[in-house]
Amino acid sequence: AHHGGLYQIKWANDDSIMVTSSGDGTSKVWDMNILLRNHADGVCIPSTSSMRAQLLRCVAMHQPPVFVYCIALVSYVRQYLPTMSVQFSVPKYLTGAFDGRIRLWEGDSFVGELMHEGENRPPHIGAIHSLVIDERTKHLYSGDSVGVIYVWRSDTRGFFQLLRKFRRDDLE
C-alpha cells in the first residue's frame, strides 16, 4: 500500500487497473486482473507479500517528493508478456500535486508536465486538488487551492494544450 494518506483512487473502465495517489509522494498502478483471476467469488484483501507484489504493477515516484492529491486516467493499452503468459494494462495518466504541477505518466515513466505554452512554468500557483477529463470532449479540467480552474484540450496522442483559465471572480 502507500506510506502516507491516500487521496484518490481511479478505476479503468474495464476494471483491469486501479491508479492511486498519496501523500507519500507516489502514484501507484494496481493490476486488478490478479484479483479477478484468483478470487472470482468476491473481493479479497491480499494476505501474502507475493500476491501484493503481483498486484502492484508500477510505482511512479514524484521528484522532489510531494503530496499527490489527484489523478486522471487518460488512456491505457493492453500489453501481453509472452514469457509469463500474462496480459496487463499500461496506463497513461495525469497527477496533480501540492507543488501546483500536473505531471503526465505512462506506467512508472515520467513523460512531462503541463505548462503554459512558450513558458517554462506550470500555470497553477496553488496545489492541484482536482483533475477531471470530460469523456465527450476529452478536455481536461484542473482546479487548484486558490480557486482557479484551467481547461486543457487533448490531442490524438493524449497531450494537452491550455485553452482557458477561470478565476473565482469569473464564476460568481
Side-chain angles (χ1 to χ4, degrees):
H2 286 278
H3 299 288
L6 183 65
Y7 291 114
Q8 192 167 32
I9 301 170
K10 289 286 183 178
W11 288 84
N13 289 339
D14 68 355
D15 293 334
S16 62
I17 59 168
M18 175 177 71
V19 183
T20 57
S21 65
S22 173
D24 65 5
T26 67
S27 52
K28 296 183 178 186
V29 178
W30 305 87
D31 185 345
M32 302 318 296
N33 288 320
I34 300 290
L35 285 181
L36 296 175
R37 191 168 46 247
N38 294 330
H39 301 281
D41 58 339
V43 175
C44 167
I45 297 172
S47 57
T48 66
S49 59
S50 66
M51 188 170 176
R52 282 192 296 272
Q54 289 176 353
L55 279 173
L56 184 59
R57 185 57 59 203
C58 60
V59 178
M61 300 296 297
H62 291 66
Q63 296 299 328
V66 64
F67 291 129
V68 184
Y69 288 132
C70 54
I71 19 183
L73 213 56
V74 178
S75 64
Y76 51 96
V77 177
R78 306 286 294 167
Q79 290 189 350
Y80 181 71
L81 293 177
T83 56
M84 297 175 63
S85 297
V86 163
Q87 188 176 21
F88 67 96
S89 297
V90 177
K92 181 182 277 189
Y93 64 100
L94 297 159
T95 58
F98 177 78
D99 60 3
R101 296 179 183 275
I102 302 171
R103 294 168 176 88
L104 180 62
W105 302 86
E106 285 187 29
D108 59 356
S109 300
F110 175 69
V111 176
E113 291 184 31
L114 276 58
M115 300 283 189
H116 272 295
E117 200 166 327
E119 299 178 27
N120 192 19
R121 65 177 181 85
H124 286 282
I125 58 171
I128 311 294
H129 285 276
S130 183
L131 292 173
V132 176
I133 295 178
D134 182 327
E135 290 298 318
R136 186 179 53 81
T137 65
K138 301 301 182 201
H139 288 160
L140 167 70
Y141 297 85
S142 57
D144 66 24
S145 60
V146 296
V148 175
I149 298 171
Y150 284 94
V151 182
W152 307 80
R153 176 181 28 225
S154 173
D155 66 16
T156 56
R157 299 168 297 146
F159 292 101
F160 295 87
Q161 175 186 20
L162 185 59
L163 285 179
R164 184 157 186 203
K165 174 182 179 178
F166 293 99
R167 291 184 182 90
R168 191 175 320 173
D169 298 341
D170 298 338
L171 302 172
E172 292 177 352

